[in-house]
Amino acid sequence: MNDRNDQKRAAEPARRDERRAAGRPSARRVSPVRRGQRRAGWMLVTPAVLVLLIVAAVPIGYGFYLSLTSYNPVETTGPQFHGFDGYRAVLGSAEFWRALLTTIVYAVGVLVLTIPASLGLAMLVNGRFPGVTLFRGVMYLPRVVPLIAVSMIWLWLYSRDGFFNYALDLVGLPPVDFLNTEETALGSLIVMRAWKALGGSMIIFLAGLQTIPKELLESAAVDGAGRWHSFRHVTLPLLAPITLYVVVMDLIYLAQSFSEIYVLTSGGPLGSTTVVNMLVYREAFQNFQLGHASSMAFVLFCLIFALAYVNVRLLTRTGKS
C-alpha cells in the first residue's frame, strides 16, 4: 500500500506537466467555505446580469435584427429580412452624410467654445478670493439642470420677444430670428449647448489644475518664467491627458445630441440643424421605417465606438508616457 502511494506521489509532477501542456488547470481541492462564497457571489450577481440582459442586450440584439430588415409597423407583413441592404442604403444616402456633417460641425463648434472658456474659468476659480466657492457652484449650476429645461429657457431667450432681441433693440439693431433662419439656427444651438457644457468641463479642468505640484510652478518662477511661459510650458503639458479626456468624452456625448435640437428647431429650418439622431427619430417615428432607422443608428454606434476606442488608446499611451 505504501509503495502504491509512493508511486502516485512520484507520478503527480508528471501528470501536472501533462495538464499544463494540454492547457488545463491543475486539479485543486476547493474548500466548502470557498464553494459557498462562490455560490453566494453568483446569487448576488445573477439579478443584475438578468436585468442588464433584459434592458440592454435584448433591445440591442433586436435593434440589430431590425437593421437587417425592411420593417414598417403600419404594414401587417412584419420584418422582411434583406441582409445588409439597409446599411448600403444608409452609406449611399446623401441625406445621411449631410446629417453626419451637421453632427460633426455641431460637436466641434461646441468644443471650440467650451474648451478654452472652461479652462480659463478653471484657472480663475483655482485661485483664492472671497466667494470663490459660491462662484464655482453658480458656474456648475447649468450642468445639473435637465437639458430639456435648459432648452426651454433658451427657446424663450432666442424668441422674438426674448432677451437677445430685447438687447439688440436697446442698441438700435433690428431683431434676429435666431432659430428660424438657416444662417443662424445651427450657431444658436452651438452657443446654447456650449453654455450647458461649460460648468462640467470647468470642474474637470479644476481637478487637473489642483494635481499640478506647486514646486514645478515655483521652480519655473525662480528660473525667470512669467505667467504666460509657466502656463504654456508647465501647466498645458501637464493638463494634456485631462484635455484629451474632456475633448473625446464631449465628442462622444455630443454625437448623441437630440433633445435640445428637438425642442429648439426640430431639425429645421430646411434641415440645417438635422443631426443623425434627429434623422433616426424622423425615419422611425414619422416615416415608420424602423429597419432603415435601425441601420442608421448602428452606423452611428460604430462611429461612437471608434471614438471611444481612440479615447482609450490615446489615454493609455499618454498615461504610459
Side-chain angles (χ1 to χ4, degrees), residues 18 45 47 49 63 71 78 83 105 121 138 162 172 176 184 199 205 210 227 231 250-251 253 257 299 305-306:
E18 290 176 359
V45 168
V49 172
Y71 178 44
V105 171
L121 280 174
V138 170
V176 177
T184 57
F205 277 122
Q210 292 182 347
R227 289 188 176 182
F231 173 74
D250 279 357
L251 272 178
Y253 191 65
S257 297
V299 171
F305 180 81

Side-chain angles (χ1 to χ4, degrees), residues 178-222:
F178 291 98
L179 300 176
N180 294 316
T181 307
E182 283 187 77
E183 291 76 16
T184 57
L186 187 59
S188 303
L189 285 175
I190 290 172
V191 171
M192 184 280 289
R193 195 63 184 80
W195 178 82
K196 175 77 169 68
L198 198 59
S201 300
M202 180 197 74
I203 290 297
I204 297 175
F205 277 122
L206 179 62
L209 287 170
Q210 292 182 347
T211 62
I212 296 176
K214 292 183 179 177
E215 293 78 8
L216 291 177
L217 298 174
E218 292 170 356
S219 300
V222 170

Side-chain angles (χ1 to χ4, degrees), residues 244 248 252 303-318:
L244 179 63
V248 178
I252 293 171
L303 294 174
I304 294 173
F305 180 81
L307 273 177
Y309 179 76
V310 169
N311 179 32
V312 172
R313 295 285 297 178
L314 289 177
L315 282 176
T316 304
R317 190 176 301 173
T318 306

Side-chain angles (χ1 to χ4, degrees), residues 12 34 66 81 116 124 157 170 245 264 317:
E12 181 60 26
R34 185 69 174 170
L66 285 181
F81 186 80
L124 176 65
L157 292 175
L170 286 180
Y245 172 81
L264 290 174
R317 190 176 301 173

Side-chain angles (χ1 to χ4, degrees), residues 135-146 150 195-196 199:
F135 187 73
R136 290 174 185 172
V138 170
M139 292 308 302
Y140 189 71
L141 191 60
R143 184 73 172 187
V144 299
V145 178
V150 171
W195 178 82
K196 175 77 169 68

Side-chain angles (χ1 to χ4, degrees), residues 96-134:
F96 173 79
W97 289 109
R98 184 187 177 194
L100 183 62
L101 178 62
T102 303
T103 306
I104 294 172
V105 171
Y106 175 69
V108 173
V110 172
L111 287 178
V112 167
L113 292 180
T114 303
I115 298 300
S118 58
L119 178 57
L121 280 174
M123 296 191 67
L124 176 65
V125 300
N126 193 35
R128 293 184 179 278
F129 57 87
V132 63
T133 305
L134 177 64

